[in-house]
Amino acid sequence: MVATGVLLAAGIGAAPPGTAATTPAVAAVTPGDGLALTPPMGFNNWNSTHCRAEFNEAMVKGIADIFVSKGLKDAGYQYVNLDDCWALPQRGPDGNLVPDPVRFPNGIKAVADYVHSKGLKFGIYTSAGTKTCNENGFPGALGFEQKDADLFASYGVDYLKYDNCNNQGVDAKLRYTTMRDALRRTGRPIVYSLCEWGENQPWLWGKDVGHLWRTTGDITDTYNSMLGIAKTNWALADYAGPGHWNDPDMLEVGNGGMTDTEYRSHFGLWAIMAAPLLIGSDLRTATPETFEILGNREVIAVDQDPLGIQGRPIRSAGGIHVFVKPLKNGDKAVLLFNEGEKTERVTTTAAEIGLPQATGYKLRDLWAHTDRHTAGTIAATLPPHGSAMFRVNADRGWAKYPPAVDTGAALQTVYPGALPLVEPGDTASVTTTATNNGRLPAVTVKSVLTGPAGWEAVPESPNDKTILRTGESTSTKWTVKVPANAKPGFYVLAVRTTYRPDAETRFDLEVRVPPPAPAANAYVSDLTWLSSDNGWGPVERDTSNGEYGSGDGNPITINGVTYAKGIGAHAPSNVEFYVGGRCTSLTASVGVDDEEGTDGSVGFEVWANGAKVADSGVMTNDMPAKPITANITGAMVVRLVVNDGGNGITSDHGDWADVRVACG
C-alpha cells in the first residue's frame, strides 16, 4: 500500500508538508536546457560492487582521483555517480534520506565537494517507488519527490539516476514527470536519467521528461547479455539526439566476464550508438588493457560527436553487422562487427555507407590509430565476437596514405564447428591472407606468422609478393608445430604483413590448447570447460543460477525434485567442453528451476562438433524434469545450449540436472 498523501489527484506528486508551498511553479521543459548535449560520460559503482562493503567514500574519492591521474577526465569522463545502498533503510526524523555513516562517514555533500574539487561532476541514485531495488529496502522517492530533489540539490548533485522498483503500479510517465518537475524547481541543473528499463517505451515520451532513458533491463558482464541489450538499443536510433539519449545501461568493460576482444566490441557498439559511457568497473584494480579501451579518445570522439546522431546497422545478416554513424564534419564512422563464433572477413564500401563517389578515401583505424587509403572497400578480418572501427572521408589527399591492406588467418580443423583447438605435440595447418583495398598497389608484400616461445611456424607456400594490386589477395599456408609440453590455455598466432610504402597490418589468431579429455565417465560440472556464457550472472556448477556472483545459487530443484549435481544456467546460455573423441553419449534431466515460480520457459539443446544432436523442446515450470540423451560419438567439442522458450528471458533458470558423459 502507498501511504496516505502519496497519491494525489493523478496519483503522485504531493510533496511532504512544508516543501510544496515554498517552491515556485514548475517551468515547461525546454529541450535546449543545455544539459547532456552529448551522451553523458562518467562512472557508476553498481556493476563492480553492487551493495557490497567496498562501495564507500574511499572508493568514490579514489575513482575521482583516477579520472584525473589516468587522463580519463581529459578524455571526456565527467560524472562520478553513486548507485543504490548509499542511504540508511529509514528516513531521518525530518523526513530526509540519511547517508549510511559506515559507508560515508563524512556525509554525501563532503563526497560531492571532493568530486567537484577535481573539476568533475557528482551523481546520485534513488527509485521512483516506495523503496529502491536492493532487498534491504532503502527508501525510494515516491511521494517524497520534492523533498529528495531539494536534498540532492543541497548536496551539489549534478546527475540523478531514477530507478523503477517498488513503483506500486503508478503510471510510469507520471512518476518520472513528477521528479522532473521537482528537480527543475530546485533551480540546479541536474542531468536526469530515467532508469525505467524500457518497460513503458520511454523513448516515445522521455524526450520531454529526462535527458536519457534506459531501453532495456540490467546488463550483466557476459557477452550474451551485452549483445542482447545492444540489439534492442540499436533498433531505437530514431529517438536519440542531443539532450535525449537511448541508454543501453552502463559499461562492463574491465569486470572480467568477457575477453578484451568482446570488451572492445562492447565499447565500440556503445560509441557508434551514441550511448552514455558510464564506466562500471573498479578502476583502482583495472588492467592496462581496460584503461586502453576506456581511454580510446578516437572512439570516444565518435560517441561524443556534436551532431548527435545514433549510428545504426545498414546491413545485418548471419551475425555480420555494418554500422554507420554520420559525423558533424562530414566523415562517416563505421563499425564492422562479427557477432558469431567463427572468424569472418567483413566488408562494406564507401558507396554503401553514403559517401560521395571519389577516386580514393582516407581510412582511419580507430583502434590501430593508423591512416590508410582505400579505393572504396572498407574491410577487416574479425575473430569471433570481434569488431573494427573506422573513420572514413573522401579526402583529396588520399594518395599520401599507404594503401589499406587487411590481413587474416584461419586454422584448418577437421572437426566442423569446433573451436580453434590444437593439442600438445600436434601439427596444425594455418592459412594467412592479405588483401589490398587501396587505389594504389602495395609493393614488396610479406606475411610472417609467429607463435609463442617454443611454437614453430613454417611456410609451405610463398609468403611474399612483389606487387599486390587493387582488389588482389595473396595467401600462404603454414605448418604450425605445437610443443609437446604446451599447457592448457589460450595462445596467439600473430600475423604481421609488411608492405611499402612503410606500412604494416596485423591479425591475431587465437587458438586454444584444451584441458585433457575425460578418460572415464564424468559429471560435466566437474570438468574444466572451454567456455561458458549466460543471460544473467555466471553459469553455476552444482547449484541453480543465482543471477549475480559466482556461487550464489540454490540447490538444483525441478518440479519438487532436488539434484546434487548439475549446471545452473539462465537463457541464453552456452557451455562448451572438450571430450577429444573419447566419449559416446551425454545424459541429463533438464527443466526450469522451481525457484522461479511459474514464470520461466526455456529450451535445451546439445551440440557436438557444430551439429545439433538433441533438443528438449520448450520446457516450463509446471513440467517435471525431462530425460535427454545425445549421441556424441567422435565429437571433439560438446556445447550445451539453453535458449529462450519464446516469451522473453525473464526467470529463465534452466537446469542441466545430473548431466554427465560416458567416456573411456
Side-chain angles (χ1 to χ4, degrees):
M1 294 289 292
V2 182
T4 302
V6 171
L7 304 183
L8 178 67
I12 61 173
T19 60
T22 60
T23 53
V26 64
V29 168
T30 57
D33 64 4
L35 298 178
L37 296 182
T38 59
M41 294 176 61
F43 166 84
N44 179 292
N45 64 280
W46 182 256
N47 287 352
S48 59
T49 70
H50 294 280
C51 280
R52 295 189 300 272
E54 61 262 36
F55 168 47
N56 58 24
E57 180 176 313
M59 178 193 191
V60 177
K61 289 182 175 180
I63 296 298
D65 293 341
I66 291 170
F67 267 25
V68 176
S69 65
K70 291 289 190 178
L72 294 172
K73 173 187 171 184
D74 291 340
Y77 293 94
Q78 297 183 74
Y79 295 95
V80 179
N81 297 346
L82 311 185
D83 211 281
D84 204 352
C85 308
W86 63 267
L88 290 178
Q90 301 295 329
R91 291 178 179 269
D94 60 357
N96 278 326
L97 297 166
V98 180
D100 185 324
V102 175
R103 295 185 191 272
F104 298 98
N106 295 300
I108 299 300
K109 188 176 189 308
V111 177
D113 288 346
Y114 186 87
V115 170
H116 290 147
S117 75
K118 300 291 181 177
L120 300 166
K121 296 182 178 181
F122 179 75
I124 207 162
Y125 164 99
T126 190
S127 182
T130 52
K131 296 181 180 180
T132 65
C133 296
N134 184 261
E135 61 187 9
N136 291 320
F138 301 101
L142 189 66
F144 291 84
E145 292 86 357
Q146 194 63 57
K147 193 166 195 65
D148 289 354
D150 290 342
L151 180 66
F152 298 155
S154 75
Y155 287 160
V157 164
D158 306 296
Y159 183 111
L160 173 64
K161 175 183 174 182
Y162 202 37
D163 218 335
N164 195 33
C165 288
N166 300 296
N167 59 48
Q168 308 302 318
V170 180
D171 177 75
K173 185 175 180 180
L174 181 59
R175 286 183 289 116
Y176 284 92
T177 300
T178 300
M179 179 56 85
R180 173 204 68 183
D181 294 347
L183 293 172
R184 291 180 63 82
R185 288 188 186 103
T186 70
R188 182 173 181 83
I190 298 175
V191 170
Y192 184 27
S193 169
L194 315 181
C195 187
E196 192 267 353
W197 317 325
E199 286 198 340
N200 294 279
Q201 298 181 299
W203 46 89
L204 298 179
W205 48 266
K207 180 178 179 181
D208 294 327
V209 178
H211 300 96
L212 60 155
W213 48 82
R214 281 276 295 280
T215 55
T216 69
D218 288 359
I219 193 171
T220 61
D221 188 21
T222 69
Y223 175 73
N224 273 344
S225 173
M226 182 277 291
L227 179 62
I229 282 175
K231 286 184 173 182
T232 298
N233 194 77
W234 76 50
L236 301 172
D238 288 342
Y239 300 98
H244 53 280
W245 307 102
N246 291 315
D247 177 11
D249 206 2
M250 299 167 290
L251 296 166
E252 291 282 5
V253 176
N255 279 327
M258 290 183 261
T259 66
D260 286 341
T261 293
E262 291 165 343
Y263 282 140
R264 278 189 289 272
S265 294
H266 177 15
F267 196 66
L269 283 164
W270 264 232
I272 203 82
M273 293 189 298
L277 299 179
L278 293 176
I279 296 169
S281 55
D282 189 342
L283 296 175
R284 297 173 301 175
T285 58
T287 64
E289 291 77 14
T290 294
F291 281 110
E292 188 269 333
I293 294 169
L294 295 173
N296 188 323
R297 298 192 185 194
E298 295 193 72
V299 175
I300 289 170
V302 171
D303 178 82
Q304 295 289 295
D305 184 76
L307 191 60
I309 294 177
Q310 178 174 324
R312 67 185 73 211
I314 59 170
R315 176 158 43 88
S316 291
I320 300 301
H321 308 279
V322 177
F323 287 80
V324 177
K325 175 176 164 61
L327 304 178
K328 188 172 183 180
N329 70 344
D331 291 1
K332 297 294 179 74
V334 178
L335 180 80
L336 308 179
F337 174 46
N338 176 17
E339 170 191 332
E341 304 301 322
K342 295 181 180 180
T343 297
E344 300 279 0
R345 185 171 186 262
V346 183
T347 66
T348 184
T349 65
E352 185 179 32
I353 68 171
L355 284 175
Q357 185 175 357
T359 305
Y361 303 85
K362 178 184 176 182
L363 186 70
R364 176 71 176 177
D365 187 320
L366 303 189
W367 287 110
H369 307 296
T370 56
D371 292 322
R372 301 287 185 262
H373 84 260
T374 174
T377 297
I378 302 159
T381 301
L382 302 175
H385 307 173
S387 62
M389 200 166 186
F390 303 98
R391 192 171 183 131
V392 193
N393 62 58
D395 187 340
R396 292 184 179 180
W398 60 267
K400 65 184 177 184
Y401 308 112
V405 173
D406 72 272
T407 293
L411 175 72
Q412 181 180 343
T413 175
V414 297
Y415 311 109
L419 296 168
L421 300 175
V422 292
E423 293 189 312
D426 209 355
T427 298
S429 179
V430 174
T431 300
T432 61
T433 59
T435 303
N436 181 16
N437 302 315
R439 176 65 64 191
L440 301 177
V443 181
T444 317
V445 180
K446 184 173 183 177
S447 294
V448 176
L449 179 67
T450 58
W455 294 53
E456 184 180 356
V458 178
E460 301 297 336
S461 61
N463 65 329
D464 56 4
K465 192 172 180 66
T466 304
I467 296 178
L468 196 63
R469 294 180 174 82
T470 301
E472 282 188 338
S473 297
T474 183
S475 62
T476 304
K477 291 185 177 181
W478 302 77
T479 296
V480 177
K481 297 179 181 178
V482 184
N485 62 352
K487 297 186 181 301
F490 290 96
Y491 296 86
V492 171
L493 301 176
V495 186
R496 179 172 179 258
T497 300
T498 57
Y499 57 100
R500 294 173 55 196
D502 190 27
E504 69 175 33
T505 183
R506 297 171 179 264
F507 179 80
D508 287 343
L509 175 64
E510 190 173 70
V511 299
R512 183 166 186 179
V513 174
N521 298 350
Y523 286 104
V524 176
S525 59
D526 293 336
L527 301 178
T528 300
W529 301 336
L530 292 171
S531 65
S532 66
D533 55 57
N534 222 30
W536 200 264
V539 180
E540 297 287 358
R541 299 174 185 265
D542 301 329
T543 71
S544 67
N545 171 249
E547 296 195 356
Y548 289 103
S550 180
D552 64 352
N554 299 309
I556 292 172
T557 307
I558 305 172
N559 210 240
V561 179
T562 299
Y563 301 83
K565 301 292 290 182
I567 296 173
H570 191 300
S573 173
N574 292 273
V575 175
E576 289 185 303
F577 56 96
Y578 183 69
V579 293
R582 298 181 182 177
C583 304
T584 57
S585 67
L586 178 144
T587 58
S589 296
V590 297
V592 181
D593 198 279
D594 287 356
E595 64 196 356
E596 286 305 302
T598 60
D599 292 338
S601 66
V602 299
F604 297 84
E605 299 173 358
V606 181
W607 292 67
N609 281 358
K612 185 163 67 174
V613 293
D615 189 335
S616 71
V618 175
M619 302 280 298
T620 61
N621 284 74
D622 59 358
M623 299 170 64
K626 176 183 285 188
I628 192 169
T629 301
N631 182 352
I632 59 172
T633 302
M636 303 299 287
V637 175
V638 175
R639 178 159 53 105
L640 306 181
V641 176
V642 181
N643 56 44
D644 170 28
N647 62 347
I649 65 169
T650 298
S651 302
D652 279 358
H653 287 211
D655 293 337
W656 296 89
D658 282 344
V659 58
R660 65 185 85 187
V661 287
C663 312

